[in-house]
Amino acid sequence: MNLPFEPQRQTRDYQASDAAHHIHAFVDQKALNAEGPRVMVRGEGLYLWDSEGKRYLDGMSGLWCTQLGYGRKDLTAAAAAQMDQLAYYNMFFHTTHPAVIELSELLFSLLPGHYSHVIYTNSGSEANEVLIRTVRRYWQVLGKPQKKIMIGRWNGYHGSTLAASALGGMKFMHEMGGLIPDVAHIDEPYWYAQGGELTPAEFGRRCALQLEEKILELGAQNVAGFIAEPFQGAGGMIFPPESYWPEIQRICRQYDVLLCADEVIGGFGRTGEWFAHQHFGFEPDTLSIAKGLTSGYLPMGGLVLSKRMAEALVERGGVFAHGLTYSGHPVAAAVALANLKALRDEGIVRQVKDDTGPYLHTLLHEVFGNHPLIGDIQGTGLLAALQFVEDKGTRKRFANENDLAWQCRTFGFEEGVIIRSTLGRMIMAPALVASHAELDELVDKTRIAVDRTARIAGKL
Ligand code: PXG
């Protein structure tokens, strides 16, 4: 077994103890306990090993976060050095520290020039919690305290805390533990499933116009902001038609509604641009960030603000009544700094745009372009979704598409590749350092999993 350490205990022993103590994310815990979770013990580059010594190509960058892959010694060295020097201090009570300052200098050198300030958090969910309070505070400072309502989208995902899940549009999450007041939703721009007879361009505009209708229904004087992922991640890696974002931006500007981009998945090079809104060509007022900020090596997120918003809050806002113990944590900041330096200095984002991204998509179109189970291939950069379809002509989807996609994911694990299933779509988002050979392996093993799924769906 090629492990740096032999697992101390048998897999079933880990599993029994895991079952005794944990409630896992988004599963039926009783069913998981019966099956036993996979125990991951090591990561190196794009590869993971479980406690049985089985190796997997991680096609999902952990949870869309390990931009640099696993085992980067520069990141662990940065963490160790910062721990030795100053393991913890905070940004309360008139203090700061070099690690967070240097991180922000680099972050804003990578961002478009109209952003200037950031409020750090520990996660993407917290970034979106902070977003709601910050946006409302901004309108208070501008003398419009009635502008409080946030508009999100059905099937959007903004995190699992109370307000973040309310901003999101996952109804089964709302049902579990409540909504908050002053949040509304519009439809998602998922043309393949919902576009009917409309062209993608018509459908994109139609979806965007729902925002205008909702703002008018609620009263523009009451609407604070619109939040959306530039492309939906957890909701199925859904790319909106090209007509969508320009129209959304026009509407937000016309009605003085802040445009809030959730870049938690799209940020830090995933699309081949530093941030996904740059790929789609719009200019948000705020950016929620996390995940790729540290390549997932330590928890860190943040809310980036435009100069216009920051100027109002700083110059006219007085006391900003918010703070987290670990905001700008020095060790997380040092790791984020090392991560962003590597992404910049090794030319990784450019490589995704010019080389590995096009390579992956060419390969996917060669392999799946005429596949009987795949109706659509979406994505850009190191990001792709394969849409299962029963009838390509009518875009009719399988009634049991979720089960099929889950099955495909299970086949992937058996073949040694980790891909994500959601709503009849298979998603891949490998680390941004993926080589051609690793992308070949990713697509090849995915093809085997998809072929096996096509057989059980009666398509092969
Ligand atoms: N916004 C977006 C767009 C996200 O994708 C969050 C906020 C919340 O971030 P935290 O750090 O609080 O988890 C996310 C998280 C999946 C999956 O399977 C996606 C996420 C998390 C877990 C699983 O696609 N996204």
Side-chain angles (χ1 to χ4, degrees):
M1 216 189 285
N2 184 21
L3 295 172
F5 64 96
E6 284 294 316
Q8 301 292 305
R9 291 150 62 178
Q10 297 287 315
T11 300
R12 62 177 175 278
D13 190 25
Y14 281 130
Q15 289 171 334
S17 202
D18 184 85
H21 299 302
H22 299 151
I23 306 273
H24 284 240
F26 293 97
V27 289
D28 176 333
Q29 190 61 45
K30 195 168 169 185
L32 177 62
N33 290 348
E35 177 190 320
R38 215 167 262 103
V39 183
M40 291 302 189
V41 295
R42 181 188 167 205
E44 184 66 43
L46 264 77
Y47 292 95
L48 288 163
W49 284 261
D50 71 14
S51 55
E52 298 289 301
K54 185 169 165 67
R55 190 179 88 145
Y56 304 89
L57 175 66
D58 180 5
M60 277 309 297
S61 305
L63 281 177
W64 321 76
C65 56
T66 55
Q67 318 301 72
L68 291 181
Y70 301 99
R72 286 281 303 219
K73 298 289 178 281
D74 48 343
L75 270 56
T76 51
Q82 184 62 46
M83 282 213 180
D84 283 343
Q85 190 186 317
L86 178 68
Y88 173 74
Y89 209 71
N90 56 65
M91 298 174 74
F92 283 56
F93 311 132
H94 302 204
T95 61
T96 188
H97 55 81
V100 76
I101 291 168
E102 286 169 25
L103 168 61
S104 297
E105 283 172 357
L106 180 50
L107 178 66
F108 286 101
S109 78
L110 301 172
L111 277 161
H114 59 278
Y115 300 104
S116 63
H117 283 61
V118 58
I119 302 164
Y120 287 110
T121 64
N122 307 290
S123 67
S125 300
E126 281 176 334
N128 289 326
E129 297 279 329
V130 175
L131 169 75
I132 300 176
R133 300 184 70 229
T134 305
V135 159
R136 289 180 179 167
R137 178 68 186 152
Y138 169 75
W139 289 119
Q140 286 172 3
V141 170
L142 262 60
K144 298 181 178 175
Q146 73 281 15
K147 265 174 112 59
K148 281 198 302 208
I149 300 175
M150 292 295 299
I151 301 176
R153 302 186 301 189
W154 296 117
N155 200 34
Y157 188 77
H158 302 297
S160 260
T161 52
L162 179 59
S165 61
L167 281 182
M170 305 271 176
K171 287 182 186 161
F172 70 106
M173 291 179 74
H174 295 168
E175 282 158 15
M176 192 178 103
L179 280 161
I180 59 168
D182 297 319
V183 174
H185 295 89
I186 60 170
D187 286 335
E188 58 180 323
Y190 184 8
W191 175 79
Y192 200 86
Q194 295 162 15
E197 298 293 304
L198 299 178
T199 64
E202 287 165 350
F203 179 71
R205 260 191 305 279
R206 178 76 68 86
C207 288
L209 287 175
Q210 273 196 23
L211 178 61
E212 187 161 39
E213 287 158 19
K214 187 57 87 177
I215 291 171
L216 293 173
E217 175 194 323
L218 298 165
Q221 72 283 4
N222 300 315
V223 180
F226 172 63
I227 181 167
E229 304 151 82
F231 60 88
Q232 286 151 261
M237 230 290 294
I238 295 162
F239 267 49
E242 279 179 19
S243 54
Y244 184 75
W245 279 115
E247 193 63 9
I248 290 283
Q249 176 159 291
R250 181 209 42 96
I251 294 164
C252 286
R253 290 196 176 149
Q254 181 171 338
Y255 296 99
D256 214 7
V257 165
L258 293 170
L259 180 47
C260 306
D262 188 333
E263 289 269 10
V264 167
I265 283 182
F268 305 105
R270 181 55 60 198
T271 61
E273 302 288 346
W274 275 96
F275 294 89
H277 72 268
Q278 296 170 300
H279 170 80
F280 290 100
F282 66 102
E283 280 189 11
D285 297 290
T286 69
L287 310 174
S288 306
I289 58 173
K291 293 193 189 269
L293 172 61
T294 59
S295 270
Y297 280 51
L298 280 175
M300 189 177 215
L303 178 69
V304 172
L305 303 175
S306 66
K307 280 184 178 156
R308 173 172 72 119
M309 288 183 71
E311 196 267 340
L313 292 167
V314 172
E315 297 303 327
R316 291 184 275 160
V319 174
F320 189 69
H322 162 86
L324 304 169
T325 302
Y326 299 124
S327 269
H329 191 288
V331 183
V335 169
L337 178 64
N339 174 58
L340 297 188
K341 271 187 186 158
L343 284 172
R344 180 194 62 185
D345 297 345
E346 293 170 28
I348 293 166
V349 179
R350 179 138 289 279
Q351 180 182 305
V352 170
K353 186 181 171 95
D354 294 342
D355 176 16
T356 49
Y359 184 81
L360 173 67
H361 286 275
T362 304
L363 205 55
L364 288 172
H365 279 87
E366 275 168 23
V367 172
F368 294 108
N370 292 314
H371 195 283
L373 190 60
I374 304 301
D376 194 23
I377 304 168
Q378 282 202 318
T380 191
L382 288 186
L383 185 66
L386 306 173
Q387 169 84 48
F388 287 177
V389 71
E390 186 171 357
D391 181 340
K392 288 193 191 192
T394 59
R395 308 201 307 271
K396 177 169 181 269
R397 287 140 65 222
F398 293 96
N400 63 339
E401 63 172 7
N402 284 350
D403 296 341
L404 285 175
W406 184 258
Q407 189 60 56
C408 185
R409 176 197 162 281
T410 305
F411 289 147
F413 268 101
E414 286 171 15
E415 300 299 334
V417 67
I418 301 177
I419 44 178
R420 165 117 161 61
S421 72
T422 181
L423 301 174
R425 291 160 79 81
M426 300 311 300
I427 297 168
M428 50 185 76
L432 304 187
V433 292
S435 66
H436 288 203
E438 287 160 339
L439 295 174
D440 288 342
E441 183 184 341
L442 171 64
V443 174
D444 199 45
K445 290 187 165 161
T446 300
R447 183 189 52 76
I448 297 171
V450 172
D451 282 353
R452 288 177 66 184
T453 311
R455 267 180 222 114
I456 56 171
K459 285 280 177 191
L460 260 189

